[in-house]
């Protein structure tokens, strides 16, 4: 469900014409729908109404402080994976006691910052990290609330680059070794065990991997109970997929039902870390056709957005639906590659795609680009990063300015020698 639709043949975000945004803000440009973000958050949150829970939006999916602020006001917490994300979440007004910190490589500087802010919990990913967090908490005269991120060894049946809960992945602590790690944590003076955590992957389109992981965690929680550890939080991570093309991921209410079925009467608060399912279909990437180029083999639409703006097609071969901003049924369709200006063959947004016949100067909307879009963008080929716009009803605001050429070199120096 989203609020991007055609009105008299022209694509709108809520009540704002995309052509209007393109002419005023320029392209390439990310456009997010306030109503869609709100709807997605409320549906997910509401699905767990029956039990105590906290929805910690995965900041890496969309870290614009304007977007985080909208979600924070709806009651969202944040799942962060760096000090930078903690800074953003706090800037956006998300309370520290709704922030969980995941990630395999937390630095001392980041750990100290999170301890100082008083976050809800650290999701521990290794024995060494546990030791360092204990030391830092001791040095700062505090106690670090921790959960151990368990690697439950389940196959999420998603793209290998975004599967995180298998034995061969770098994430979490093997479920068979987790009990030992908890025992070690019990001995540590400056950590307080508050939870159990897992996150098995992203863009999952079926429920069994989630349920299998949960069952393994339940066994662990029972064993923990036997050794005198009772947890306050069970963090089940994120990962629920969205329809990019013809995927049929479970609805959040089905996801909730399947999990809650396994969790009847449990005394702890559930934490979820959804990213994509909240923001993915709430954003698009708006781009303009620069040139149309025909080779003996192919027809290319060369657009002003590239792999530096949206890397998912190049990185994962991901599919994004692409729609003309203005539809004209009389033109007919053709098969094209939609490519950017970057000097890489992998710089494509779509290959062999059937699209309405278009002319240069016209606009295209790359759909489902609200998650892992702007956040994965770069300055490759010295391309300034795109603007980001948030639409609410008939209003829109630029929530991140387009970078300038000056911005590209702002932090650089020509050496004196
Ligand atoms: C990426 C990530 C998420 C969010 O995943 P989605 O598929 O966007 O829901 C949640 N938790 C952790 C630890 C992550 O790394």
């Amino acid at each position: 469900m989203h609020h991007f639709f055609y009105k008299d043949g022209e694509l709108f975000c809520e009540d704002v014409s995309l052509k209007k945004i393109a002419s005023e803000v320029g392209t390439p440009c990310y456009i997010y729908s306030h109503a869609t973000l709100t709807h997605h958050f409320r549906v997910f949150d509401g699905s767990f109404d029956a039990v105590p829970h906290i929805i910690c939006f995965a900041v890496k999916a969309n870290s614009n402080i304007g977007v985080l602020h909208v979600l924070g006001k709806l009651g969202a917490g944040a799942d962060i994976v760096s000090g930078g994300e903690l800074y953003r979440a706090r800037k956006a007004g998300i309370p520290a006691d709704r922030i969980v910190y995941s990630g395999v490589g937390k630095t001392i500087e980041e750990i100290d910052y999170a301890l100082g802010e008083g976050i809800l919990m650290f999701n521990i990913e290794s024995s060494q990290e546990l030791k360092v967090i204990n030391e830092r908490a001791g040095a700062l005269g505090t106690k670090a609330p921790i959960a151990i991120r368990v690697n439950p060894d389940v196959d999420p049946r998603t793209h290998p680059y975004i599967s995180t809960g298998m034995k061969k992945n770098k994430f979490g602590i093997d479920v068979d070794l987790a009990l030992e790690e908890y025992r070690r944590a019990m001995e540590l003076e400056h950590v307080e065990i508050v939870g159990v955590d897992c996150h098995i992957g992203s863009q999952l389109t079926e429920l069994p991997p989630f349920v299998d992981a949960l069952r393994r965690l339940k066994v662990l929680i029972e064993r923990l109970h036997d050794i005198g550890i009772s947890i306050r939080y069970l963090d089940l991570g994120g990962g629920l997929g969205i329809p990019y093309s013809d995927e049929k991921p479970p609805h959040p209410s089905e996801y909730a039902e399947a999990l809650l079925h396994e969790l009847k009467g449990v005394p702890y608060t559930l934490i979820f870390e959804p990213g994509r399912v909240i923001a993915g279909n709430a954003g698009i990437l708006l781009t303009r056709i620069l040139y149309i180029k025909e080779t003996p083999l192919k027809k290319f639409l060369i657009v002003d957005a590239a792999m530096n703006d949206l890397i998912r097609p190049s990185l994962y071969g991901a599919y994004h639906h692409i729609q003309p901003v203005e539809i004209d049924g009389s033109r007919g369709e053709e098969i094209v590659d939609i490519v950017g200006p970057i000097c890489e063959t992998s710089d494509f947004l779509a290959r062999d795609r059937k699209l309405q016949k278009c002319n240069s100067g016209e606009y295209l909307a790359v759909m489902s680009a609200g998650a892992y879009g702007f956040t994965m963008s770069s300055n490759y080929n010295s391309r300034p990063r795109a603007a980001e716009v948030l639409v609410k009803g008939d209003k829109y605001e630029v929530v991140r300015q387009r970078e300038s050429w000056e911005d590209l070199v702002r932090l650089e120096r020509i050496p004196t020698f």
Side-chain angles (χ1 to χ4, degrees):
M1 207 292 278
H2 60 73
H3 290 78
F4 296 90
F5 53 87
Y6 288 99
K7 239 190 254 187
D8 300 327
E10 198 191 318
L11 192 57
F12 274 63
C13 174
E14 303 190 20
D15 298 322
V16 181
S17 140
L18 295 190
K19 251 177 84 180
K20 179 177 144 105
I21 297 179
S23 69
E24 293 176 4
V25 178
T27 53
C29 169
Y30 276 94
I31 298 170
Y32 309 124
S33 154
H34 185 283
T36 313
L37 285 167
T38 303
H39 176 77
H40 287 172
F41 182 81
R42 288 205 172 126
V43 165
F44 196 98
D45 190 36
S47 299
F48 293 97
D49 266 351
V51 294
H53 67 278
I54 306 173
I55 308 298
C56 295
F57 176 68
V59 173
K60 76 175 192 285
N62 188 318
S63 54
N64 184 286
I65 60 172
V67 169
L68 297 180
H69 181 73
V70 169
L71 296 172
K73 275 206 304 197
L74 295 169
D79 166 51
I80 57 160
V81 294
S82 72
E85 288 191 352
L86 175 55
Y87 183 79
R88 286 176 172 280
R90 297 292 291 127
K91 260 276 188 267
I94 295 179
D97 65 4
R98 276 195 253 140
I99 296 178
V100 296
Y101 190 175
S102 310
V104 296
K106 304 174 186 83
T107 66
I108 285 178
E109 187 189 14
E110 291 174 318
I111 291 165
D112 286 1
Y113 176 31
L115 285 169
E117 291 291 302
I119 63 166
L120 179 67
M121 69 184 186
F122 290 85
N123 290 332
I124 303 287
E125 306 239 13
S126 67
S127 312
Q128 284 197 339
E129 180 196 335
L130 177 62
K131 209 167 139 260
V132 170
I133 286 184
N134 179 60
E135 279 163 16
R136 295 314 306 161
L140 298 177
T142 181
K143 239 178 160 152
I146 62 129
I148 286 176
R149 176 168 174 179
V150 175
N151 182 330
D153 191 28
V154 298
D155 183 352
R157 283 172 261 168
T158 183
H159 192 284
Y161 288 7
I162 49 178
S163 114
T164 57
M166 296 169 74
K167 252 194 165 60
K168 63 182 174 193
N169 299 137
K170 72 178 174 184
F171 299 98
I173 291 176
D174 192 281
V175 63
D176 299 323
L177 305 173
L179 191 68
E180 263 324 291
E181 205 60 48
Y182 272 103
R183 271 189 215 278
R184 267 195 286 278
M186 272 173 101
E187 307 292 308
L188 299 175
E189 206 179 324
H190 309 292
V191 302
E192 185 191 1
I193 298 168
V194 296
V196 170
D197 167 53
C198 83
H199 169 72
I200 57 173
S202 198
Q203 185 54 14
L204 273 71
T205 54
E206 30 184 320
L207 292 172
F210 288 116
V211 175
D212 289 350
L214 173 55
R215 290 191 178 142
R216 291 180 189 190
L217 295 193
K218 275 169 56 185
V219 172
L220 172 66
I221 292 169
E222 271 173 40
R223 302 229 171 99
L224 291 177
H225 195 77
D226 295 341
I227 61 168
I229 299 175
S230 46
I231 58 158
R232 254 185 280 158
Y233 303 108
L234 173 58
D235 182 343
L236 292 172
L240 191 57
I242 62 169
Y244 283 101
S245 150
D246 50 7
E247 302 94 334
K248 299 254 179 317
H251 187 270
S253 63
E254 298 170 89
Y255 168 75
E257 197 181 328
L259 297 177
L260 294 180
H261 182 74
E262 299 286 321
L263 290 166
K264 290 208 177 79
V266 296
Y268 33 82
T269 296
L270 299 180
I271 295 176
F272 294 94
E273 304 169 347
R276 193 186 308 270
V277 73
I278 306 291
N281 284 324
I284 63 148
L285 173 61
L286 189 62
T287 184
R288 189 166 152 267
I289 302 170
L290 297 172
Y291 301 105
I292 297 177
K293 173 169 174 174
E294 282 187 75
T295 70
L297 220 57
K298 290 226 183 210
K299 185 162 189 175
F300 293 101
L301 302 188
I302 301 168
V303 299
D304 65 1
M307 66 187 286
N308 74 297
D309 299 300
L310 180 67
I311 202 175
R312 299 188 68 259
S314 316
L315 188 61
Y316 315 123
Y319 177 95
H320 284 267
H321 204 56
I322 297 184
Q323 298 178 192
V325 165
E326 285 177 289
I327 34 175
D328 176 355
S330 69
R331 288 197 198 170
E333 294 183 317
E334 60 187 351
I335 306 283
V336 293
D337 276 18
I338 299 163
V339 301
I342 282 186
C343 306
E344 298 276 350
T345 301
S346 63
D347 180 25
F348 60 90
L349 298 174
R351 276 179 165 163
D352 299 321
R353 188 67 63 82
K354 193 193 268 180
L355 192 73
Q356 162 186 306
K357 284 190 178 142
C358 288
N359 302 310
S360 52
E362 293 178 337
Y363 297 107
L364 298 175
V366 184
M367 307 304 289
S368 313
Y372 308 104
F374 185 89
T375 53
M376 293 180 97
S377 69
S378 76
N379 292 118
Y380 187 39
N381 275 208
S382 286
R383 291 169 47 84
R385 275 179 297 178
E388 292 178 287
V389 165
L390 183 61
V391 173
K392 183 182 186 190
D394 60 2
K395 295 192 193 56
Y396 80 85
E397 284 184 30
V398 174
V399 290
R400 191 180 206 274
Q401 280 178 31
R402 181 179 310 287
E403 287 178 351
S404 66
W405 289 330
E406 215 166 82
D407 290 331
L408 293 176
V409 295
R410 190 195 301 289
L411 302 172
E412 299 175 22
R413 292 286 175 275
I414 293 171
T416 54
F417 49 81

